[in-house]
Amino acid sequence: MLMTPGPTALPPSVREAAGEELLNPDVDPAFADRYDALKRKLGRIYGTDDEVVVLGGEGILGLEAAVASTVAPGDRVCCLSNGPYGDGFADLVEAYGGEATLVDANYDDPLPLDALERTLDGEDFDLVTMVHCETPTGTLNDLDAALDRVAAHDVLTVVDAVSSLGGTPVPTDRIDIAIGASQKCFSAPPGLAVCSVSDAAWERIEARDPDPLYTNLLPWHEAEQPYPYTHLSTLVVALEAALDLLLEAGLDTVYERHREAALVCRERGRNLGLEPFPDPERSSPTVTAFAVPGRATALQERLRVDHDVTLSTGLGGLEDDVLRVGHMGYNAEVEKVEQTMDALAAVLD
Ligand SMILES: *Cc1c(COP(=O)(O)O)cnc(C)c1O
C-alpha cells in the first residue's frame, strides 16, 4: 500500500490510460484535442478562467518556472514561509538573481502575517511567494488570510499548491501563479507540473522576456502549438483520466472525502498516543504528519517490511522526527486510512 503524500497510488482507470497506444504530440491531431480537454478540465478544478499550462516535468519544475519567468536580476521578492518549501522559494529566487527577503516562522507555527505586513509596508516588492500545504510538516496554511495582507500592495503572488490542489479548495482567482503537480491529489503518475497564470502575470513575463530556457513559461503561452516541445503524451493522457475521476465524483464530494480521511487518521493516531506535528487546527486534509521524535525511519522500515505499507518520513531537518500518512487523491479513503493505522498500531505494539 503506497500511502505517501505523493506520489499516491494510481486508480485503475489511470493505469489503463497510461497503457494506451502512444500519440505523437507533434503530428497527431488527436493529441491536440486531448491536450485542450486537459486544460479545460484543469481550469474547472482550479476554478479559474486564467490560462492553465501543463509543463513536462515534475512539481519542482513548476516552482522553478514560476520564479525563472517572473524574477529578473535585482527584483525584490518577499518569501513567506513556515516550512521547507516556503524556504526553498527564497533559494530559487536568489539562484535567478533576485533579492529574496525571507519572512519566516518555526515549522510548527502559523505563517507570520504581522511580519509579512510590516515587511510589505516597509519597501516595494515585485513578487510574494507562499506555500498552501507544507507537505513535510502536514500544515495547511490559511491562504486567504495571507492574501488579505498582500491585497493592498501592487505585487504578483506565486503559490505552491502542489499538495492541496484537487484535495481542498485553493483560492486561485486571488493568485497570479498557482502551481500543482500530477502525482499529489490528482493521483496521476509523477511527471507533469501545472500552473495557472493570470493576465497580470503574463504581462510581467512578456515585459521581462526571460531567457529561452526550459523554465521559461512564455513559449507555452505564445506558441502556435500550445506546447513548444514534444509533450509527455503518456502522462498527459493519464492525467486527463485522473481528472475525469475527480470531476465525475464532484469536487465537493472529493474535498469531503479528504476531510473525513484526515479526521479518521488523526483520531486513530490520538488513540495510539500520536499527535500531529502542527496544531491539529492547521493540519492539512491531504496529509497527516505525526510527531515521532527519533523514531520515524525505524517505524517506516517496519511498516514497509512487515506490513507492506509505505509511508514517508520528514524533510528539512525532520527526517527522523515526523512520520507522514498521505490521504490524498485516490488514497483519501477512510478504509485505506484504517488499514494503514491498523498496521501502524501493530508496529507500535
Ligand atoms: C511534492 C511537492 C512539490 C513538488 O515536489 P516533487 O519533487 O515534484 O515531489 C512541491 N511543493 C510541495 C508543497 C510538495 O508537496
Side-chain angles (χ1 to χ4, degrees):
M1 274 185 87
L2 184 62
M3 290 295 286
T4 53
T8 69
L10 300 181
S13 65
V14 175
R15 289 161 61 181
E16 250 166 57
E20 278 182 24
E21 199 77 63
L22 188 75
L23 295 171
N24 183 325
D26 300 323
V27 298
D28 205 326
F31 181 81
D33 294 342
R34 300 295 289 265
Y35 186 73
D36 269 354
L38 175 68
K39 287 177 60 154
R40 275 198 309 277
K41 288 169 188 175
L42 275 170
R44 285 172 62 195
I45 287 164
Y46 266 102
T48 183
D49 294 330
D50 287 351
E51 183 177 6
V52 179
V53 298
V54 183
L55 307 177
E58 51 81 63
I60 295 294
L61 176 69
L63 307 182
E64 183 162 347
V67 170
S69 300
T70 55
V71 177
D75 280 355
R76 309 192 56 87
V77 182
C78 176
C79 301
L80 183 64
S81 174
N82 59 348
Y85 283 101
D87 292 351
F89 262 128
D91 297 331
L92 270 177
V93 165
E94 298 276 341
Y96 280 92
E99 285 180 37
T101 300
L102 185 63
V103 177
D104 61 343
N106 290 331
Y107 286 2
D108 51 358
D109 281 336
L111 288 174
L113 297 186
D114 291 335
L116 170 70
E117 193 158 358
R118 279 195 302 277
T119 306
L120 294 178
D121 283 342
E123 52 186 310
D124 285 339
F125 287 90
D126 300 288
L127 203 76
V128 177
T129 66
M130 60 188 83
V131 177
H132 194 194
C133 174
E134 274 286 358
T135 330
T137 63
T139 303
L140 188 78
N141 285 316
D142 185 347
L143 276 191
D144 275 311
L147 293 166
D148 284 347
R149 306 290 182 110
V150 176
H153 302 270
D154 181 25
V155 284
L156 285 189
T157 48
V158 171
V159 174
D160 174 346
V162 169
S163 61
S164 55
L165 192 69
T168 196
V170 178
T172 314
D173 273 342
R174 307 187 66 190
I175 300 167
D176 289 296
I177 303 183
I179 302 139
S182 51
Q183 81 274 26
K184 301 284 169 87
C185 305
F186 298 148
S187 290
L192 295 176
V194 297
C195 303
S196 67
V197 185
S198 71
D199 293 343
W202 284 126
E203 267 170 43
R204 178 175 174 81
I205 297 169
E206 272 160 4
R208 159 160 170 20
D209 194 19
D211 291 338
L213 302 173
Y214 195 61
T215 46
N216 183 0
L217 287 171
L218 211 44
W220 300 86
H221 179 55
E222 278 185 339
E224 206 168 279
Q225 247 193 336
Y227 35 97
Y229 321 113
T230 299
H231 219 312
L232 311 190
S233 44
T234 296
L235 297 179
V236 166
V237 169
L239 179 57
E240 192 192 354
L243 300 188
D244 284 342
L245 291 179
L246 294 193
L247 293 170
E248 280 159 19
L251 288 176
D252 288 341
T253 305
V254 169
Y255 298 153
E256 182 56 27
R257 268 202 296 117
H258 282 78
R259 278 193 297 272
E260 279 171 14
L263 281 178
V264 169
C265 190
R266 278 154 217 165
E267 173 81 31
R268 292 287 312 265
R270 212 168 299 122
N271 292 341
L272 297 171
L274 302 177
E275 288 298 329
F277 176 80
D279 187 298
E281 288 275 292
R282 291 194 302 280
S283 289
S284 172
T286 60
V287 49
T288 297
F290 288 116
V292 289
R295 293 192 292 163
T297 9
L299 290 171
Q300 180 192 42
E301 178 73 2
R302 289 288 305 278
L303 279 163
R304 194 177 57 76
V305 173
D306 297 349
H307 298 273
D308 201 19
V309 171
T310 305
L311 300 186
S312 291
T313 57
L315 292 175
L318 297 170
E319 282 74 4
D320 205 23
D321 298 330
V322 153
L323 187 67
R324 295 182 296 152
V325 182
H327 32 75
M328 56 175 68
Y330 187 48
N331 289 344
E333 292 287 351
V334 167
E335 201 176 312
K336 289 186 180 185
V337 170
E338 295 276 18
Q339 251 179 285
T340 303
M341 299 307 284
D342 287 346
L344 184 55
V347 165
L348 285 168
D349 216 21

